[in-house]
Amino acid sequence: MKLDFYPFIRVEGLSAKDFRKQKIDIQLFTAVIFTSRNAVDHFFRICEEMKIKVSQDCKYFCITEAIALYLQKFILYRKRKVFYGADGSTKSLLEVMNKHRDNEKFLFPSSDSQRKDIEEWLKANKCEYATATLYKTVSNDVKEVLTGKVYDMIVFFSPYGVKSLFENVPKFEQNGTHIGAFGPTTSAAVEEAGLRLDVKAPAPQAPSMVAALEQYLANTNKK
């Protein structure tokens, strides 16, 4: 089996000039919500470019423990100001945030296509918050890759990858190509695009894409 790795998308940070147009004063917020490492990177990049000093008392709410630990690159890590969901789900993150919602003013750094579920929760619970767009997801040019070879399987890890596929090859036809997707939003994007989803992860018996692929290939070889 031969695997090729090609990024269908890339992340581009907004400039400080473009961020200023949003008229958001970072220093007015007492808590920051992080759902990705990209959000962490670009939040602190903007702070550095604009010479903004984040308060030592600022709290950080992270969707996973891995993102919480990643903060150590930028702050003095103290558990009493860094919180994260128990299982990496949006639900568990919101449960943690719910305990602090009345006392904090939340800043939600995100891409140009932010997570609507968290913003809807903040609105529904009448939280003081602002959504700050700090970076955007753009498609890479992979036309040569997609038209030069016929792949047995294409695996997506982001709904933006599915979008990039059709931006590069508008008349893409799946035919015999198998499609894999990691994460519920990516799986939904595959199906909404009219593609057949063959491999879906995470699943109870396949928590990772590697495990899902191994399981799928093993079942396929039995037929």
Side-chain angles (χ1 to χ4, degrees):
M1 181 189 297
K2 184 177 182 295
L3 296 175
D4 289 336
F5 294 92
Y6 293 103
F8 278 36
I9 56 175
R10 68 182 186 277
V11 170
E12 290 184 353
L14 264 65
S15 66
K17 180 182 177 181
D18 287 336
F19 174 71
R20 286 191 185 94
K21 294 176 184 177
Q22 299 176 54
K23 297 180 179 179
I24 293 173
D25 185 347
I26 290 174
Q27 291 179 309
L28 293 179
F29 296 87
T30 61
V32 185
I33 305 165
F34 288 126
T35 56
S36 71
R37 290 188 179 189
N38 280 326
V40 176
D41 287 337
H42 289 287
F43 173 76
F44 288 102
R45 173 187 61 79
I46 284 288
C47 287
E48 184 178 354
E49 288 180 12
M50 297 178 65
K51 296 181 170 56
I52 295 171
K53 189 174 182 180
V54 182
S55 170
Q56 292 291 323
D57 296 322
C58 184
K59 293 185 176 68
Y60 301 93
F61 294 85
C62 306
I63 197 165
T64 64
E65 184 180 8
I67 293 172
L69 293 172
Y70 185 68
L71 279 172
Q72 292 178 103
K73 284 184 62 177
F74 305 95
I75 66 168
L76 182 63
Y77 187 94
R78 298 202 307 272
K79 285 189 177 180
R80 65 184 178 84
K81 72 171 186 177
V82 179
F83 308 87
Y84 52 87
D87 60 6
S89 67
T90 301
K91 181 183 176 183
S92 65
L93 171 62
L94 297 178
E95 286 172 354
V96 174
M97 288 170 55
N98 191 51
K99 299 174 184 177
H100 301 265
R101 71 183 190 190
D102 296 329
N103 303 315
E104 307 297 340
K105 189 172 182 180
F106 295 96
L107 181 66
F108 182 25
S110 67
S111 70
D112 51 339
S113 301
Q114 74 270 13
R115 299 173 65 111
K116 299 294 184 184
D117 48 1
I118 292 176
E119 190 168 12
E120 287 169 0
W121 183 90
L122 290 164
K123 281 183 184 176
N125 287 277
K126 297 180 171 59
C127 297
E128 282 194 84
Y129 82 97
T131 301
T133 301
L134 301 181
Y135 57 100
K136 58 185 178 180
T137 305
V138 297
S139 296
N140 278 329
D141 185 350
V142 290
K143 295 185 186 70
E144 189 174 334
V145 173
L146 294 171
T147 56
K149 291 183 181 179
V150 176
Y151 286 96
D152 294 315
M153 178 178 288
I154 300 174
V155 180
F156 297 102
F157 290 86
S158 163
Y160 306 113
V162 181
K163 180 183 176 185
S164 176
L165 169 67
F166 285 97
E167 286 182 353
N168 277 277
V169 187
K171 295 182 179 180
F172 175 80
E173 293 183 8
Q174 185 172 357
N175 297 322
T177 303
H178 301 275
I179 299 290
F182 186 83
T185 56
T186 308
S187 297
V190 168
E191 292 172 338
E192 286 168 9
L195 299 174
R196 183 189 68 254
L197 181 59
D198 300 295
V199 183
K200 186 176 180 179
Q205 302 303 318
S208 69
M209 180 51 73
V210 172
L213 288 172
E214 288 177 344
Q215 191 176 92
Y216 181 77
L217 292 172
N219 292 335
T220 302
N221 290 335
K222 288 179 183 177
K223 296 178 181 179

